[in-house]
C-alpha cells in the first residue's frame, strides 16, 4: 500500500502545522447559521411590508382629506366670487341705504382741485332703513341685536324710517359700537 514518505527538516516542521488527516467541519453550526439568516431575512421582509402597507393606508387617508378640503375651498371661493360680484355688491349697498356717489374730485399734491365734484343722488325714503332693521338682515350675523320695542316703534312711525333713531341701550360691558352693523371682512 501506499506509504507516506518521512519528511525531514523544514518540510517536517511545515507538515506539523497542517493536520495529518482532513477534518470535516461540524455541520450543525453551519446549518443553524443558514437557518438564522433566512429567518431573520423573512422577518425583516415582513416588517418592511407591514410598514409600507401602513404608509399606503395613511397616504390614502391624506389624499381623501386633501380632496375634501380642496372641494370645500372651491365652494368657499365660489361664495366669495358671488358676494364680490358687482351686482351683488350694488344690491347689498342698496339694502343698507347707500346711494351711488357723484363724480369725484381729486387733489394734487400742491393743493389744486382737479375735476368738478357733483353731489350724490338723493336718498328715497323707502331705501333708508333704521339700524334695528339692519340688525335683522341675515347677511350680517355679526351685527348687534335690536330690542323688539325699538323695532316695532320704528316700523309703526313713518318718520322713523327717514330719521336715525337713538342707539338702543346696550348690556353692561358691551361697547355701543358693537351694535352697529359692519361689512364682512372689515
Amino acid at each position: 500500500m501506499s506509504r507516506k514518505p518521512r519528511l525531514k527538516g523544514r518540510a517536517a516542521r511545515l507538515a506539523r502545522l497542517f493536520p495529518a488527516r482532513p477534518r470535516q467541519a461540524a455541520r450543525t453550526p453551519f446549518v443553524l447559521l443558514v437557518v438564522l439568516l433566512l429567518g431573520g431575512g423573512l422577518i425583516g421582509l415582513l416588517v418592511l411590508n407591514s410598514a409600507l402597507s401602513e404608509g399606503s393606508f395613511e397616504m390614502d387617508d391624506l389624499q381623501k382629506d386633501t380632496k375634501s378640503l380642496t372641494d370645500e375651498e372651491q365652494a368657499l371661493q365660489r361664495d366669495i366670487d358671488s358676494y364680490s360680484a358687482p351686482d351683488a355688491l350694488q344690491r347689498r349697498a342698496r339694502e343698507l341705504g347707500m346711494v351711488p356717489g357723484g363724480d369725484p374730485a381729486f387733489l394734487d399734491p400742491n393743493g389744486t382741485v382737479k375735476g368738478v365734484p357733483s353731489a350724490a343722488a338723493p336718498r328715497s325714503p323707502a331705501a333708508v332703513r333704521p339700524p334695528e332693521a339692519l340688525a335683522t338682515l341675515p347677511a350680517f350675523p355679526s351685527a348687534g341685536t335690536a330690542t323688539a320695542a325699538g323695532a316695532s316703534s320704528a316700523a309703526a312711525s313713518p318718520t322713523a324710517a327717514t330719521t336715525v333713531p337713538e342707539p338702543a341701550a346696550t348690556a353692561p360691558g358691551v361697547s355701543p359700537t358693537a351694535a352697529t352693523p359692519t361689512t364682512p371682512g372689515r
Side-chain angles (χ1 to χ4, degrees):
M1 318 230 183
S2 130
R3 199 169 171 204
K4 281 188 180 181
R6 284 197 84 139
L7 300 174
K8 295 183 182 178
R10 187 172 182 190
R13 280 183 299 203
L14 288 175
R16 277 186 285 178
L17 293 177
F18 295 108
R21 62 181 171 111
R23 286 186 172 178
Q24 287 187 343
R27 290 182 183 228
T28 306
F30 178 72
V31 170
L32 284 176
L33 177 67
V34 170
V35 167
L36 285 176
L37 287 176
L38 287 175
L42 288 175
I43 290 173
L45 284 175
L46 178 66
V47 168
L48 181 64
N49 190 16
S50 298
L52 288 176
S53 65
E54 181 181 344
S56 123
F57 285 129
E58 284 182 31
M59 188 174 72
D60 287 342
D61 289 342
L62 291 174
Q63 284 176 345
K64 287 177 186 175
D65 290 345
T66 302
K67 185 181 181 317
S68 67
L69 289 174
T70 302
D71 292 343
E72 183 179 350
E73 179 191 13
Q74 289 174 352
L76 290 173
Q77 188 62 43
R78 280 193 304 270
D79 289 345
I80 289 171
D81 291 342
S82 69
Y83 285 133
S84 63
D87 58 339
L89 289 174
Q90 183 180 19
R91 178 184 48 79
R92 286 189 9 231
R94 282 193 182 140
E95 287 175 358
L96 292 173
M98 296 180 174
V99 294
D103 293 328
F106 300 97
L107 290 176
D108 280 337
N110 61 5
T112 60
V113 178
K114 281 193 171 183
V116 179
S118 64
R123 293 191 215 187
S124 64
V128 178
R129 293 185 180 192
E132 291 84 14
L134 293 177
T136 60
L137 288 176
F140 300 100
S142 64
T145 59
T147 60
S152 63
S153 66
S157 135
T159 58
T162 57
T163 61
V164 177
E166 293 294 318
T170 58
V174 177
S175 68
T177 58
T180 59
T182 58
T183 57
R186 296 202 184 197

